[in-house]
C-alpha cells in the first residue's frame, strides 16, 4: 500500500484526508474512460472490447496513445486477480489481429490515425488499488511494455494515480521501420527511422544526443524512452520530450510540453509549433545545435518533465 499522505490546511491546523483503495468499481473504470486522455495521454477507442468467440476474451479498455501505439488497460478488481497475465493474453491477441485494431481506429479517429498506428511498441497498463512485490518483479521478467499504476481516492473529490513500475521492451525494429523496397537503391530516405539517422550521425551529433538522453533519463526514476519511427519519446505516464535527429543540419529538434506563451521565444532556438505540423507531441520546439544550446535548454526540459 502506498504511504502517500494528504492533508487539508486550515489556517494553522492540518487535517489528514484518508485515502482508500477498495476493490475497483465499475464507476471508476467509466470515469477513467471518459477522461482517458487527461489521465493517461491515451485516446479512448472501446470499452469491454470482445476478442471473439474463439479467443473468448474481453479487454477492459482499449485505446491509442499520443505516439500512435495501441494501449490495453486492465483493472485489478480483486486482490487475487492475475491482471498482468490476463493483459498479456490480450496483448498477444492484439498484435496478431492488427487489422481489427486498425479498423477500430478508422471508425473512431479516421483514416489518418489508422494509417499511423505505431506497432513497434504496443502497451499494457494495469490499474489497481495496490500491487505486490511479486507483481513488480514479474513484469521485469517479461519482454513487453507494461506499466503498473496504483490509484487511491481521497475524500469524494480527489483521485491519485501513481506509476508504481514500468518496463519497456526493446523496440521491434522491423515494425518501426516498415521499409518498402525502392528498387536497386534500397530503402527510400522517407522510410528511414530516427534510429537510422542516429546511426548515420557524425560523432559530434551522436555525443550531443547521448548527453541529452542521459540528462532526460536522469530527471527521474520513472522516465522511459522509446525509439519510434520518427522520434525518440521520453515519457513518464505521458510524453514530456520528443527528440528528432537531423543529420543534414546536424542538430536535434526537441518538442516539449511547455506553453510557448509563458517564455520569451528566441529565433533559431525556440519556436511555437501549436499551429505547425510536426512529429511527436509538445507545443514548444527547441533546436539544439551546440553544447551551449543544450545548457540553455535544460531549464525548459526540467519544466516539461514537471508538467508531464
Amino acid at each position: 500500500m502506498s504511504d502517500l499522505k494528504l492533508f487539508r490546511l486550515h489556517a494553522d491546523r492540518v487535517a489528514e484526508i484518508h485515502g482508500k483503495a477498495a476493490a475497483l468499481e465499475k464507476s471508476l473504470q467509466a470515469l477513467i474512460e471518459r477522461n482517458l486522455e487527461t489521465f493517461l495521454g491515451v485516446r479512448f477507442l472501446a470499452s469491454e472490447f470482445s476478442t471473439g468467440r474463439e479467443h473468448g476474451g474481453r479487454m477492459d479498455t482499449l485505446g491509442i496513445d499520443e505516439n500512435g501505439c495501441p494501449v490495453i488497460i486492465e483493472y485489478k478488481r480483486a486482490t487475487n486477480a492475475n491482471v498482468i497475465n490476463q493483459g498479456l493474453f490480450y496483448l498477444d491477441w492484439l498484435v496478431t489481429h492488427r487489422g481489427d485494431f486498425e479498423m477500430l481506429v478508422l471508425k473512431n479517429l479516421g483514416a489518418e490515425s489508422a494509417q499511423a498506428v505505431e506497432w513497434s511498441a504496443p502497451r499494457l497498463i494495469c490499474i489497481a488499488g495496490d500491487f505486490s512485490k511479486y507483481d513488480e518483479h514479474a513484469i521485469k521478467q517479461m519482454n513487453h511494455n507494461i506499466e503498473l499504476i496504483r490509484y487511491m481516492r481521497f475524500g469524494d473529490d480527489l483521485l491519485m494515480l501513481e506509476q508504481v513500475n514500468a518496463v519497456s521492451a526493446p523496440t521491434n525494429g522491423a515494425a518501426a521501420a516498415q521499409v518498402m523496397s525502392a528498387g536497386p537503391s534500397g530503402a527510400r530516405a522517407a522510410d528511414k527511422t530516427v534510429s537510422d539517422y542516429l546511426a548515420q550521425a557524425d560523432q559530434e551529433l551522436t555525443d550531443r544526443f547521448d548527453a541529452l538522453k542521459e540528462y532526460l533519463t536522469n530527471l527521474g526514476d520513472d522516465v522511459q524512452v522509446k525509439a519510434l519511427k520518427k522520434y525518440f519519446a521520453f515519457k513518464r505516464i505521458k510524453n514530456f520530450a520528443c527528440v528528432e535527429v537531423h543529420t543534414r543540419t546536424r542538430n536535434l529538434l526537441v518538442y516539449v510540453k511547455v506553453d510557448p506563451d509563458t517564455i520569451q521565444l528566441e529565433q533559431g532556438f525556440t519556436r511555437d509549433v501549436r499551429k505547425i505540423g510536426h512529429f511527436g507531441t509538445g507545443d514548444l520546439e527547441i533546436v539544439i545545435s551546440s553544447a551551449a544550446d543544450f545548457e540553455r535548454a535544460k531549464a525548459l526540459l526540467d519544466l516539461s518533465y514537471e508538467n508531464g
Side-chain angles (χ1 to χ4, degrees), residues 91-110:
L91 197 59
D92 286 342
W93 179 90
L94 186 65
V95 298
T96 58
H97 293 75
R98 297 183 182 186
D100 294 310
F101 181 81
E102 289 173 359
M103 285 298 295
L104 184 63
V105 176
L106 176 65
K107 178 182 177 182
N108 286 271
L109 303 175

Side-chain angles (χ1 to χ4, degrees), residues 283-298:
D283 292 335
L284 181 70
E285 176 188 86
I286 307 171
V287 182
I288 300 180
S289 302
S290 65
D293 287 341
F294 177 41
E295 288 302 317
R296 287 197 294 164
K298 287 181 178 179

Side-chain angles (χ1 to χ4, degrees), residues 2-260:
S2 171
D3 60 358
L4 180 73
K5 291 184 178 294
L6 188 67
F7 298 88
R8 179 171 284 116
L9 305 182
H10 300 279
D12 59 342
R13 295 182 299 109
V14 297
E16 182 176 356
I17 304 175
H18 294 281
K20 60 179 180 179
L24 193 150
E25 61 271 28
K26 184 67 176 178
S27 60
L28 182 56
Q29 176 182 340
L31 174 66
I32 291 173
E33 288 178 343
R34 287 195 303 271
N35 301 276
L36 200 55
E37 199 158 357
T38 301
F39 282 134
L40 301 173
V42 175
R43 287 176 289 175
F44 175 78
L45 291 176
S47 182
E48 306 298 334
F49 183 80
S50 173
T51 58
R53 183 177 301 177
E54 183 176 344
H55 187 266
R58 189 174 292 276
M59 304 178 196
D60 287 344
T61 305
L62 192 56
I64 186 168
D65 72 11
E66 54 196 335
N67 298 314
C69 299
V71 181
I72 296 171
I73 302 171
E74 290 294 311
Y75 307 89
K76 186 177 181 179
R77 293 187 170 83
T79 55
N80 61 346
N82 198 334
V83 68
I84 298 173
N85 283 347
Q86 182 174 311
L88 289 174
F89 183 62
Y90 294 143
L91 197 59
D92 286 342
W93 179 90
L94 186 65
V95 298
T96 58
H97 293 75
R98 297 183 182 186
D100 294 310
F101 181 81
E102 289 173 359
M103 285 298 295
L104 184 63
V105 176
L106 176 65
K107 178 182 177 182
N108 286 271
L109 303 175
E112 184 176 350
S113 295
Q115 292 167 3
V117 174
E118 174 67 77
W119 284 106
S120 65
R123 298 164 57 196
L124 169 63
I125 298 176
C126 300
I127 298 178
D130 201 13
F131 295 95
S132 70
K133 63 182 181 181
Y134 305 109
D135 292 328
E136 296 183 45
H137 176 76
I139 68 169
K140 296 177 183 178
Q141 315 305 314
M142 301 170 182
N143 191 29
H144 292 282
N145 298 298
I146 307 174
E147 297 155 60
L148 305 183
I149 294 181
R150 177 189 291 125
Y151 85 93
M152 184 173 290
R153 281 184 151 167
F154 292 90
D156 297 325
D157 60 348
L158 294 174
L159 174 67
M160 179 203 74
L161 294 182
E162 176 189 13
Q163 184 169 278
V164 177
N165 210 334
V167 174
S168 295
T171 300
N172 181 338
Q178 293 185 336
V179 176
M180 299 170 60
S181 175
S185 62
R188 299 173 301 189
D191 297 316
K192 289 183 179 178
T193 68
V194 67
S195 298
D196 293 331
Y197 284 113
L198 181 61
Q200 295 167 4
D202 62 26
Q203 193 60 55
E204 182 181 350
L205 184 56
T206 301
D207 290 346
R208 194 176 302 137
F209 174 81
D210 288 341
L212 175 63
K213 179 181 179 181
E214 182 179 11
Y215 184 82
L216 292 173
T217 53
N218 285 336
L219 286 174
D221 293 336
D222 57 347
V223 176
Q224 306 165 64
V225 55
K226 294 301 298 183
L228 303 171
K229 292 189 190 76
K230 300 298 184 182
Y231 58 92
F232 294 98
F234 293 82
K235 63 186 289 292
R236 301 173 76 184
I237 290 179
K238 301 179 184 180
N239 289 351
F240 69 91
C242 296
V243 181
E244 296 180 14
V245 178
H246 290 260
T247 54
R248 186 177 60 83
T249 52
R250 301 178 68 247
N251 61 26
L252 305 173
L253 296 186
V254 187
Y255 296 96
V256 295
K257 291 184 175 176
V258 174
D259 184 350

